[in-house]
């Protein structure tokens, strides 16, 4: 192949040929491909590139080398020769790619193209063009491997991967097919519309995805897609244009089935919502329960307060009761003790309340007490306590006094407060009170002593004529103790037969002759001597002893009357006083009937004196009892008329025979024109009702004259005769015996 190696041919060629040869040689020498020319299995020449490729120092070194030197083995060489022979002979190019050997024994992959110089005579030589393809093949293999790996990744990916171009599916992996329920290859060529429920939905998706992809950004959405069978699935879709900004170049989509997560999320949301609802419900329930509880607590508190109030207050007047009074007084004393001041206890009892209660009934009595309570409360200051102990007893505590005078002022204020008449349903009532005052510390240091001493002082005030106040004095306790002793003694007086009857005559005003006798009880006390009824009848009434005592009086009166008759004295009516308490006894009529029968005393000679109060207890029982007594034949008299609250017209209803005008009217009859008018009026009205009128307490002739002028029928009083023992009465009767029978039997 070297030009200098063939000087003969160069010399022989024409100058054109010689130039052509030179040109070919230049091409051969400078070609970048390896070129070899062989003849009869030996290297004729080759170019520099060939020598270099096979590791030989120069083309010259290769000249004459056998063709087998480039092959791995002789068998290899023979095989190639066998395969190439017919091809070359046919004038075609023989092409082969084989591992070949360099001079140093190393191998490389070589691509060979061979062509016979003259196919008709292949012995003239062959041209081999070689190319080292080791690197190219290796690169190709790497690429193939890479492709395979990528394919494997694609096929085994757990997300669906899709490649689309202009809306049409070009490629997708198995996961994508499975996820959407398509068979292998079914998706290819389809429109991406198949993943959507409707054209509208597909359009919506396009509106959302298009701008993102166009801008070259990644799309990341969750969408409700559909499978081949139309069932729904939630997908998370990531997408990016292959060439940013150019959607026509295709888009890669990665799709993940997030239905389970969505469902879980939904379930979680629902659970959360349900939980919140439950919490809200429970909260509401709790709030309601709480409200109910609060209401219950409030109710209970109110109930407790009511109970507390009831326990500590008087039901009728609402004033503190004894319990609360003692509590407050105790506190006041403790404070007074510490701060060194005085405390006053005012014990207050209404005067003649019993009469009002008996006369006008308990309803009126209660209304009156309420009225009094209000007046007392209004009179006192805030820190003071007024309480009702029961009945008509009130106690006032003045907790901090600087001097006793202050207590006196309050007592006066209380008396004044009660002075104006009280209007009860059109009826005007007047009440007054007697007040006893005890002071801490001089009259006592404890609640009990102070209350007891104020009570004693109150009794003293009553004795002093009522409607006044009295400070406690030590001797008052003596009086109170005496009253207690009296009560004890009274219990034994009946069995010890300490009672006796005195008698007071009643005369006809017209002729001055006896027309009746009133039996008045006396108690011959072993130590006190003769005790008058005013001292023990109230006690007997309070204790209920009046019932057996009264029964004794009726019997004794009948017995005495019979005894006088037996002694030859004229038969004269005997009057007996009945207390309201006796009248309420259901067996009163029996008691009277038995006494009469027992002593054989004529019924019409027994008279019973009752007070207005008895009549005013407007019960049907009252009327029944009076009618029964009337049927029995006994006379009935209204005693002390004018002190109660009855009216004359009221008397019409009752079978009453006598009316005894109270001595308080008779006393001043001659000097007090009011009393004179009252007495005259009573007499006139009583007569119009057919009643016999008796004036009580006639102490002098002028009184007698007055009542005579006023037309009064009978008179009783010291002027006629004082109450006297039975013996004296007999003598008086003998002296003043009436001429004829006093009353028709
Ligand atoms: P009475 O029924 O109105 O009796 C009349 C009272 O007036 C008697 O008082 C009598 O002594 C007194 N008296 C009579 N004439 C005069 C007078 O001219 N001037 C004055 N100042 N007084 C006169 P006595 O005996 O003290 O009785 C008082 C009251 O005790 C009686 O008032 C009567 O309500 C009651 N009483 C007396 N005996 C009994 C009885 O056996 N049972 C009941 N339940 N009460 C009785
Ligand atoms: Mg009487
Ligand atoms: Mg009387």
């Amino acid at each position: 192949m070297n030009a200098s190696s063939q000087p003969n041919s160069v010399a022989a060629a024409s100058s054109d040929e010689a130039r052509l040869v030179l040109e070919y040689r230049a091409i051969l020498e400078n070609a970048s491909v390896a070129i070899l020319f062989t003849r009869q299995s030996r290297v004729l020449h080759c170019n520099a590139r060939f020598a270099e490729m096979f590791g030989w120092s120069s083309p010259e070194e290769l000249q004459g080398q056998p063709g087998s030197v480039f092959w791995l083995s002789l068998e290899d060489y023979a095989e190639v020769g066998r395969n190439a022979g017919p091809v070359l002979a046919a004038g075609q190019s023989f092409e082969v790619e084989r591992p070949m050997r360099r001079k140093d024994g190393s191998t490389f992959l070589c691509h060979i193209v061979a062509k016979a110089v003259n196919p008709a005579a292949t012995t003239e030589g062959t041209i081999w063009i070689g190319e080292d393809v080791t690197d190219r093949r290796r690169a190709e293999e790497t690429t193939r491997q890479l492709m395979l790996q990528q394919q494997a990744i694609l096929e085994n990916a757990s997300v669906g991967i899709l490649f689309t171009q202009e809306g049409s599916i070009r490629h997708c992996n198995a996961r994508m097919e499975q996820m959407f329920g398509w068979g292998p290859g079914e998706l290819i060529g389809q429109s991406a519309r198949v993943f959507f429920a409707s054209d509208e939905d597909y359009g919506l998706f396009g509106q959302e995805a298009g701008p993102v992809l166009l801008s070259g950004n990644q799309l990341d959405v969750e969408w409700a897609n559909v499978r081949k069978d139309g069932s729904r699935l939630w997908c998370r879709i990531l997408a990016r244009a292959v060439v940013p900004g150019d959607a026509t170049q295709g888009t890669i989509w990665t799709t993940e089935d997030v239905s389970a997560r969505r469902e879980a999320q939904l379930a979680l949301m629902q659970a959360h919502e349900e939980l919140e609802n439950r919490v809200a419900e429970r909260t509401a329930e709790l709030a309601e329960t709480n409200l109910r509880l609060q209401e219950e607590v409030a109710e209970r508190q109110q109930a407790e307060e009511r109970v507390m109030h009831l326990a500590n207050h008087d039901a009728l007047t609402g004033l503190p009761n004894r319990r609360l009074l003692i509590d407050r007084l105790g506190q006041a004393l403790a404070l007074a003790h510490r701060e060194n001041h005085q405390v006053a206890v005012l014990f207050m009892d209404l005067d003649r309340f019993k009469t009002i209660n008996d006369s006008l009934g308990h309803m009126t009595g209660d209304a009156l007490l309420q009225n009094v309570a209000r007046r007392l409360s209004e009179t006192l200051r805030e820190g003071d306590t007024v309480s009702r102990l029961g009945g008509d007893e009130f106690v006032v505590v003045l907790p901090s006094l600087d001097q006793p005078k202050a207590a006196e002022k309050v007592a006066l204020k209380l008396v004044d407060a009660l002075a104006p008449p009280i209007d009860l349903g059109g009826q005007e009532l007047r009440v007054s009170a007697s007040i006893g005052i005890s002071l801490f510390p001089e009259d006592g240091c404890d609640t009990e002593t102070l209350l007891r001493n104020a009570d004693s002082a109150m009794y003293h005030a009553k004795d002093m004529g009522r409607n006044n106040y009295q400070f406690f004095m030590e001797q008052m306790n003596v009086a109170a103790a005496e009253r207690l002793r009296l009560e004890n003694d009274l219990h034994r007086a009946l069995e010890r037969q300490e009672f006796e009857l005195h008698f007071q005559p009643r005369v006809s005003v017209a002729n001055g002759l006896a027309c009746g006798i009133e039996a008045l009880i006396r108690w011959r006390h072993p130590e006190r001597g003769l005790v008058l009824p005013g001292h023990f009848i109230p006690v007997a009434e309070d204790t209920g002893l009046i019932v057996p005592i009264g029964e004794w009086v009726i019997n004794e009166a009948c017995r005495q009357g019979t005894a006088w008759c037996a002694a030859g004295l004229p038969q004269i009516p005997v009057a007996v006083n009945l207390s309201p308490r006796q009248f309420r006894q259901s067996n009163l009529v029996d008691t009277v009937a038995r006494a009469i029968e027992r002593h054989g005393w004529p019924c019409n000679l027994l008279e019973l004196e009752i007070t207005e109060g008895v009549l005013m207890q407007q019960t049907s029982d009252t009327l029944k009892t009076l009618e029964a007594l009337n049927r029995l034949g006994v006379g009935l008299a209204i005693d002390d008329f004018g002190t109660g609250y009855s009216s004359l017209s009221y008397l019409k209803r009752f079978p009453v025979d006598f009316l005894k005008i109270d001595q308080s009217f008779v006393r001043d009859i001659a000097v007090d024109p009011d009393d004179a008018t009252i007495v005259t009026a009573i007499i006139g009205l009583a007569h119009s009702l057919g009643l016999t009128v008796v004036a009580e307490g006639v102490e002098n002739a002028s009184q007698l004259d007055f009542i005579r002028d006023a037309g009064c029928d009978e008179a009783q009083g010291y002027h006629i005769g004082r109450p006297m023992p039975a013996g004296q009465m007999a003598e008086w009767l003998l002296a003043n015996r009436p001429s004829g029978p006093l009353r028709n039997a």
Side-chain angles (χ1 to χ4, degrees):
M1 282 199 220
N2 199 320
S4 60
S5 63
Q6 289 176 333
N8 295 339
S9 45
V10 173
S14 64
S15 59
D16 282 350
E17 271 183 339
R19 196 168 35 88
L20 203 66
V21 168
L22 279 174
E23 282 170 12
Y24 278 143
R25 180 164 292 171
I27 292 168
L28 190 71
E29 292 302 316
N30 294 305
S32 62
V33 292
I35 301 167
L36 172 74
F37 184 61
T38 60
R39 188 179 289 160
Q40 291 172 342
S41 307
R42 293 240 168 227
V43 175
L44 203 60
H45 25 245
C46 68
N47 65 357
R49 172 67 189 130
F50 191 93
E52 179 199 353
M53 198 161 83
F54 281 85
W56 297 79
S57 57
S58 66
E60 287 74 24
E61 196 185 358
L62 272 170
Q63 261 176 17
Q65 290 286 343
S68 61
V69 76
F70 305 116
W71 302 91
L72 297 190
S73 65
L74 286 175
E75 292 79 46
D76 213 13
Y77 177 66
E79 194 198 323
V80 171
R82 268 196 310 276
N83 294 341
V87 178
L88 296 174
Q92 291 169 345
S93 294
F94 174 72
E95 219 171 310
V96 72
E97 196 170 295
R98 288 253 170 174
M100 298 189 80
R101 190 153 51 104
R102 291 195 192 89
K103 186 186 176 186
D104 61 3
S106 62
T107 59
F108 66 98
L109 193 65
C110 192
H111 183 259
I112 304 259
V113 179
K115 188 125 186 181
V117 175
N118 180 4
T122 51
T123 49
E124 283 184 20
T126 309
I127 296 171
W128 306 81
I129 298 170
E131 188 188 355
D132 185 345
V133 293
T134 309
D135 287 345
R136 185 163 12 123
R137 290 291 171 256
R138 198 177 290 142
E140 277 173 6
E141 179 61 18
T142 307
T143 305
R144 203 175 60 84
Q145 288 294 330
L146 218 61
M147 285 277 287
L148 282 172
Q149 279 171 14
Q150 279 181 357
Q151 190 71 23
I153 289 170
L154 195 70
E155 287 311 312
N156 294 306
S158 61
V159 293
I161 299 169
L162 186 75
F163 174 66
T164 60
Q165 209 165 14
E166 293 176 329
S168 168
I169 301 165
R170 294 269 179 263
H171 202 76
C172 78
N173 69 351
R175 175 70 191 125
M176 189 73 189
E177 291 166 341
Q178 284 161 11
M179 203 192 291
F180 285 86
W182 295 86
E186 271 184 354
L187 279 168
I188 309 302
Q190 300 244 38
S191 160
R193 160 74 177 80
V194 297
F195 300 124
F196 295 86
S198 63
D199 290 337
E200 193 193 355
D201 192 37
Y202 184 46
L204 272 174
F205 181 80
Q207 280 172 25
E208 182 159 347
V212 180
L213 296 173
L214 262 178
S215 67
N217 289 322
Q218 173 169 270
L219 175 75
D220 186 348
V221 289
E222 283 192 9
W223 205 268
N225 291 103
V226 289
R227 295 194 185 86
K228 188 184 179 186
D229 63 7
S231 59
R232 294 218 164 233
L233 78 161
W234 270 97
C235 293
R236 180 181 176 198
I237 300 168
L238 300 179
R240 200 187 275 279
V242 175
V243 177
D246 182 2
T248 59
Q249 294 295 305
T251 309
I252 298 284
W253 307 83
T254 331
T255 307
E256 190 186 351
D257 183 351
V258 293
S259 302
R261 178 175 50 78
R262 292 285 294 215
E263 269 165 35
Q265 256 177 2
L266 199 74
L268 198 72
M269 241 164 66
Q270 278 172 351
H272 192 76
E273 203 174 311
E274 202 174 312
L275 198 73
E276 273 188 351
N277 283 344
R278 287 238 208 106
V279 167
E281 266 171 39
R282 283 294 292 151
T283 309
E285 262 173 46
L286 274 175
E288 202 182 310
T289 311
N290 188 32
L291 200 76
R292 233 187 2 256
L293 272 175
Q294 272 178 359
E295 278 170 7
E296 265 174 40
V297 167
E299 264 172 39
R300 199 166 302 170
Q301 240 168 22
Q302 275 176 5
E304 274 170 15
E305 276 166 19
R306 266 204 302 278
V307 168
M308 272 295 278
H309 193 268
L310 282 180
N312 289 319
H313 291 81
D314 166 41
L316 179 67
T317 59
L319 292 181
N321 61 11
R322 177 186 290 271
R323 197 180 144 136
L324 188 55
L325 167 79
I326 286 177
D327 192 53
R328 293 224 183 130
L329 181 53
Q331 284 174 18
L333 294 182
L335 195 73
H337 193 77
R338 274 203 305 277
E339 299 189 350
N340 219 6
H341 54 232
Q342 290 183 306
V343 175
V345 177
L346 279 65
F347 205 111
M348 186 169 193
D349 188 284
L350 299 186
D351 300 327
R352 273 186 269 276
F353 176 72
K354 229 170 115 52
T355 313
I356 293 173
N357 220 13
D358 286 344
S359 316
L360 304 179
H362 291 294
M363 298 267 274
T364 310
D366 284 355
L368 183 82
L369 288 173
Q370 286 169 335
N371 218 297
V372 167
R374 198 162 42 247
R375 288 192 183 187
L376 298 182
S377 302
E378 283 165 7
T379 309
L380 292 165
R381 272 191 297 190
E382 206 174 314
D384 304 337
T385 295
V386 55
S387 82
R388 176 172 172 244
L389 293 194
D392 58 347
E393 288 177 343
F394 295 86
V395 170
V396 172
V397 173
L398 308 175
S400 60
L401 292 182
D402 25 19
Q403 46 166 326
K405 261 265 175 269
E408 200 171 350
K409 255 192 217 156
V410 174
L412 264 174
K413 259 167 66 179
L414 292 175
V415 166
D416 285 350
L418 295 184
I422 294 173
D423 182 45
L424 289 180
Q427 192 164 26
E428 279 208 339
L429 295 181
R430 280 178 190 281
V431 280
S432 60
S434 303
I435 302 174
I437 306 170
S438 65
L439 295 170
F440 166 88
E442 55 258 51
D443 299 333
C445 290
D446 56 284
T447 54
E448 208 181 309
T449 312
L450 285 165
L451 279 170
R452 194 180 55 239
N453 290 346
D455 191 22
S456 298
M458 185 275 290
Y459 271 106
H460 190 65
K462 289 249 186 233
D463 288 346
M464 296 302 284
R466 302 162 197 262
N467 197 23
N468 74 108
Y469 62 87
Q470 295 292 326
F471 277 94
F472 172 75
M473 284 176 297
E474 201 46 60
Q475 61 264 37
M476 289 177 187
N477 265 344
V478 179
E482 229 175 69
R483 188 185 145 92
L484 196 68
R485 214 172 310 128
L486 192 81
E487 199 180 304
N488 287 335
D489 291 351
L490 200 60
H491 274 95
R492 272 162 281 158
L494 249 188
E495 62 190 59
R496 291 186 182 174
Q497 301 186 339
E498 289 171 358
F499 293 117
E500 56 188 64
L501 289 185
H502 281 199
F503 299 91
Q504 188 177 29
R506 207 171 74 215
V507 296
S508 160
V509 174
N511 55 24
L513 295 176
C515 55
I517 294 171
E518 181 174 5
L520 295 162
I521 193 167
R522 302 291 182 259
W523 178 15
R524 193 157 299 277
H525 193 277
E527 288 141 31
R528 298 164 205 253
L530 201 66
V531 183
L532 290 174
H535 281 104
F536 66 89
I537 290 289
V539 181
E541 282 189 336
D542 283 351
T543 53
L545 281 169
I546 192 69
V547 177
I549 293 173
E551 196 176 334
W552 177 84
V553 173
I554 297 169
N555 271 283
E556 179 60 12
C558 293
R559 190 201 62 75
Q560 186 60 63
T562 317
W564 281 326
C565 281
L569 288 165
Q571 272 199 332
I572 192 163
V574 178
V576 166
N577 293 284
L578 286 187
S579 86
R581 179 88 180 240
Q582 272 175 285
F583 204 81
R584 284 202 294 273
Q585 215 64 24
S586 60
N587 59 354
L588 174 69
V589 182
D590 278 357
T591 309
V592 173
R594 257 187 284 121
I596 289 166
E597 202 189 300
R598 185 171 158 201
H599 301 286
W601 185 244
C603 305
N604 64 325
L605 293 187
L606 181 67
E607 288 166 5
L608 299 177
E609 296 191 1
I610 55 176
T611 51
E612 286 169 89
V614 172
L615 294 187
M616 300 298 287
Q617 292 168 2
Q618 309 168 9
T619 61
S620 55
D621 287 353
T622 310
L623 191 61
K624 271 188 211 149
T625 310
L626 287 173
E627 280 168 350
L629 289 171
N630 188 46
R631 275 197 301 278
L632 206 60
V634 300
L636 289 171
I638 305 297
D639 201 358
D640 303 342
F641 186 82
T643 54
Y645 295 89
S646 63
S647 63
L648 273 172
S649 57
Y650 196 76
L651 298 177
K652 257 196 296 196
R653 309 185 201 173
F654 302 104
V656 182
D657 309 293
F658 299 90
L659 195 138
K660 298 180 82 172
I661 301 172
D662 191 69
Q663 49 181 279
S664 58
F665 297 103
V666 179
R667 189 176 304 133
D668 300 326
I669 208 166
V671 287
D672 187 339
D674 281 352
D675 282 351
T677 315
I678 289 169
V679 169
T680 312
I682 292 175
I683 294 167
L685 281 166
H687 280 164
S688 72
L689 291 171
L691 301 177
T692 303
V693 186
V694 183
E696 291 190 286
V698 178
E699 292 184 343
N700 53 50
S702 58
Q703 288 167 344
L704 188 60
D705 289 343
F706 184 93
I707 60 159
R708 186 185 294 114
D709 291 347
C712 187
D713 306 295
E714 299 177 2
Q716 183 180 342
Y718 294 166
H719 182 63
I720 293 127
R722 289 186 173 252
M724 55 196 105
Q728 275 183 36
M729 189 67 230
E731 283 168 27
W732 189 93
L733 267 179
L734 282 174
N736 298 276
R737 67 165 64 208
S739 47
L742 287 161
R743 206 177 301 271
N744 291 331

